[in-house]
Amino acid sequence: MGFARACSVALVGVEGVVVEVQADLEPGVAAFTLVGLPDKSLVESRDRVRAAVVNSGAEWPQKKLTVGLSPASVPKSGSGFDLAVASAVLGAAERIDPAMIADVVMIGELGLDGRVRPVRGVLPAVLAAAEAGYEQVVVPEQTAGEAALVPGISVLGVRSLRQLIAVLCDEPVPEEPADGQGRPDAMLAGLMIPGTGLGTGLAPAAARGDGHRPDLADVAGQLRPRQALEVAAAGGHHLLLSGPPGAGKTMLAERLSAVLPPLTRQESLEVTAVHSVAGILPPGEPLVSRAPYCAPHHSATMQSLVGGGNGIPRPGAVSLAHRGVLFLDEAPEFSGKALDALRQPLESGHVVVARAAGVVRLPARFLMVLAANPCPCGRHTLTGAGCECPPSVVRRYQARLSGPLLDRVDLRVEVEPVDRADLLGQGGRGESTEVVAARVRDARARAAERLAGTPWTTNSEVPGHELRTRLLVAPGALAAAERDLERGILTARGLDRVLRVAWTVADLRAADRPDASDVAVALELRTGIQRGVPMGAGER
């Protein structure tokens, strides 16, 4: 009787569980049994592994073979277990030393010819292996750079099962020439889910194709919405842009991700793990360093927004926008069920998806931007534009954005139509993205210094209790906000959000703490009621 074991990782959402792959050979009729709660794609690995072993020059054992995946209570899916199954079988057949593979984590799919194909989710899988104490991993050669992002892990990238056998047996490693010269590498197909290209709203429209990145200087006029965009980026505040069609709401939203600061190392690992599992990680960029941008269509379902799908839930748009921007264009056209599902992740920074196959916790700390027209025809706020929508239709259209959802939006700005002077450039170009991004980085640095030693890094994350007890504003600065609270214009949550925005405005003008004018700017951005104060950073 022969026995050997190797290790692999089962992904549940973006979290991994180390799975021990055990192979047992016993005398009897040749058979291959796979147990341990595998899904359909994993059950099919029996045929893939057998063909790969034979075509790699090794002998397939003609005995009763049982492969167990432990713990058996964890659902296992995908083809990433092939490499570990083949190694365990070869160890049980004594083709390789079982002691060499006992503590090695192996991730990869096997082709029938023995080539090792890349799979999605390598980064979170290696992170899980490192947290469990493993120090060696074997991955496909194409994803070795992604696995190497995890510190303290020795990564071996292999192109075929033959190479892995040679390494484990201390034999000369055969050369595996890359095929398909002059055409896209077919081996990379396993990293991408069909339909997750640029057409799904995962990049600003102007950033696709020719490499041109959107610049704020391209936006004509719109001084107040530009300043609100800067406040949103500096503090991580959610933003509502309302106005007629063609005023520039989408242009502004597409330029927000470029204003956000570059991701920190930890944030980059979080975002890369989500994108790797979702199958949208570019093969040539193992680490995402810029804030992501996700703009789902208004026909998106609740499951596509918050996560879901058949079997184990997969990341939705809120997770793909983690540490970045989630732009909902034509927000009133989204279903009310889908919009209201955003309430919980807006507050907590994560989403918990419960399905029959299991419960998954996915990260979802994003900056939400809503764009909305004033009415179905979009001309309700235009003088002499001929809006024919009855008042009842306008009310119903605007009520599609529920009060509880809007209460979580810190900034609400009217985007007015652009006049002829601004559109033709007679008023001069606005500030570029580079200039605004520099001020945003400085403001975030001041907030991070003030919040050092706490679990928060931006003003939008600070709880209201801390704002009212520890981070105090100037004396008398809250008088106007308290009056609005008594009149019912603000809720208790709204008051906390006004305080957060006031701190961001103070950070942008390099003040030690907010004063009455900062609170007035925050109230104007929150309620839309003019307070008679300039909004530009440094103007006062």
Side-chain angles (χ1 to χ4, degrees), residues 243-246 249 330 333 372-382 385-390 393-394 397 400:
K249 302 185 294 293
E330 305 293 347
E333 300 295 339
N373 294 326
C375 66
C377 75
R379 300 189 298 268
H380 179 66
T381 57
L382 297 178
C387 175
E388 298 179 355
C389 300
V393 173
V394 175
Y397 186 81
R400 293 182 182 179

Side-chain angles (χ1 to χ4, degrees), residues 112-357:
L112 300 184
D113 57 354
R115 289 183 301 171
V116 181
R117 304 180 65 94
V119 294
R120 299 185 300 271
V122 167
L123 177 59
V126 177
L127 284 171
E131 293 175 358
Y134 291 87
E135 299 178 352
Q136 293 179 315
V137 297
V138 178
V139 297
E141 187 181 53
Q142 293 88 343
T143 57
E146 183 180 345
L149 296 174
V150 182
I153 286 287
S154 175
V155 179
L156 172 63
V158 295
R159 187 173 293 178
S160 68
L161 182 60
R162 285 182 290 271
Q163 288 185 341
L164 178 60
I165 294 174
V167 171
L168 294 175
C169 296
D170 198 17
E171 300 172 355
V173 179
E175 291 291 335
E176 295 288 350
D179 56 352
Q181 298 295 331
R183 61 188 181 192
D185 189 357
M187 297 287 284
L188 299 177
L191 296 177
M192 302 292 290
I193 297 177
T196 56
L198 295 176
T200 54
L202 295 170
R208 305 169 193 164
D210 58 0
H212 171 70
R213 295 192 62 79
D215 196 308
L216 269 177
D218 301 334
V219 181
Q222 304 298 0
L223 177 61
R224 182 152 302 202
R226 288 169 58 100
Q227 292 165 341
L229 207 72
E230 183 177 342
V231 173
H237 307 289
H238 306 303
L239 173 65
L240 168 63
L241 300 172
S242 57
K249 302 185 294 293
T250 302
M251 285 188 68
L252 288 164
E254 287 180 341
R255 284 148 179 79
L256 179 56
S257 60
V259 177
L260 294 175
L263 301 178
T264 65
R265 176 74 177 185
Q266 180 60 35
E267 292 171 346
S268 294
L269 290 176
E270 294 175 6
V271 174
T272 304
V274 176
H275 287 199
S276 178
V277 170
I280 62 173
L281 188 65
E285 299 180 14
L287 185 66
V288 179
S289 58
R290 291 193 294 256
Y293 172 92
C294 186
H297 192 260
H298 61 257
S299 60
T301 62
M302 183 187 71
Q303 289 77 12
S304 67
L305 282 181
V306 301
N310 297 326
I312 298 296
R314 302 189 64 83
V318 296
S319 297
L320 299 182
H322 180 59
R323 301 295 181 183
V325 177
L326 176 67
F327 177 45
L328 302 183
D329 200 3
E330 305 293 347
E333 300 295 339
F334 283 80
S335 70
K337 185 178 180 181
L339 288 175
D340 288 338
L342 299 176
R343 298 184 195 175
Q344 184 252 346
L346 284 175
E347 287 289 328
S348 61
H350 64 268
V351 59
V352 178
V353 183
R355 297 290 185 269

Side-chain angles (χ1 to χ4, degrees), residues 32 48 160 173 276 324 385 396 466 482 500:
F32 189 169
R48 291 194 301 270
S160 68
V173 179
S276 178
R396 283 198 301 269
E466 292 288 324
E482 292 170 352
R500 294 177 182 133

